[in-house]
Amino acid sequence: MTRQHPGGQPATSRPSALVRALTGGLVMAAALGIGTAAGSAAAERVGLTGTAARLVPAVLVSALALVPVTLAVRRRGASLKALGLGGARAGQRAFLTGVGVTAASAVLVLGAGTAGGLLRWSRPDPLPLVGFLMTNAVIALLLEALPEETTLRGYAWTALRERFGGTASALGTTAVFLLVPGTSTVAYAATARLTGADPAPIGIVPPGQDTASYLILLPIFGLTLVAARTAVGQAPLWAAIGTHLTFLTVNRVALEGDQRHAGWSATRTTPDAVLLVPAYLLVAAVVFMLCRRMGRNGRLRTYDTRNGHPVPTRASRSARRAASSAIRASITRIFSSNSADNASAESGASRSSSKFRPISASEKPSVCAVRT
């Protein structure tokens, strides 16, 4: 008998699930490398500068990542909701959950670091800061947050979750995530050579990043994104997108604000201050796991979205069956009680007819009276 997952589609084999997860990572790596190189070359050739020049590769990366994933999902007879995107209202709530939890965790940890003397902040300049936040939100969403979450925590996670448990799927998705930066440098170098641009060096981390710090931070970041993706019941992928976007924004203001002309920045007074970033990610991950547990034990989560499909969980089905049984039993008792009362009343009326006068029409109870 063919095993089926909650969405009603036949479940694939474990090797097939692994191949699909790796495909999601390769699609993202190719989109990031090709889109960044080709988009930058195209913007330079048409003379674009500033935000417009940065927007071209961002749009191209999203297109190169989302189109193949969409086609692959539709080929299996599903929609993007199967990846966890969901409807507009549910997506908005999930997105704000990701943003709120991550931002609050960053404020808590970075605030403690500031109080402890690890960070020293500049005076904020409101107009440049607002401008940076707006442009960074659009570019970071299109260049990284949306395509990476759709291909990794969406497509790769869903593929693994069909055949593996939650822990294995989380570790597998994060492992695929670790392969993306290095693989994207290969795609970037090949595309740059074809477009005549100067190819960047190939490596396991993007150029300009400290290898050790990056390889320590990336698994923590990946697992935090998985925690965000599993924290809410409806449109859960938007929680990961919100978390990703907030992480990029906070780090670019706090750690790179001066270089990016963000209008606000922090200076690290000690090298240990870099540990504040994984610290606030761990705090956010814990909060997301608590949200998931509360949703499981309470009424916040009555659907299983392991494959992006809103399928009732065993607990919710059992609760509804128990409620239906209780309602049927109550209705049966009410009718039984009413029948017994009517029979008793008729018997009493016949026995007392010789002792009491007949009841007049004005004294009869209304047929609309309800027995309580």
Side-chain angles (χ1 to χ4, degrees), residues 119-125 129 252-268:
L119 296 175
R120 185 172 62 251
W121 293 83
S122 66
R123 178 174 296 180
D125 193 350
L129 179 60
R252 288 171 181 175
V253 170
L255 305 180
E256 305 172 2
D258 191 27
Q259 298 93 319
R260 293 178 178 269
H261 308 287
W264 197 26
S265 62
T267 302
R268 286 171 283 178

Side-chain angles (χ1 to χ4, degrees), residues 270-309:
T270 172
D272 295 337
V274 74
L275 298 176
L276 295 174
V277 175
Y280 84 72
L281 284 177
L282 291 174
V283 171
V286 170
V287 174
F288 284 129
M289 287 188 288
L290 289 176
C291 291
R292 182 170 181 265
R293 183 176 295 275
M294 290 172 59
R296 239 185 213 179
N297 297 336
R299 296 183 178 181
L300 297 178
R301 188 187 183 99
T302 57
Y303 291 93
D304 180 10
T305 56
R306 91 170 35 177
N307 292 291
H309 301 282

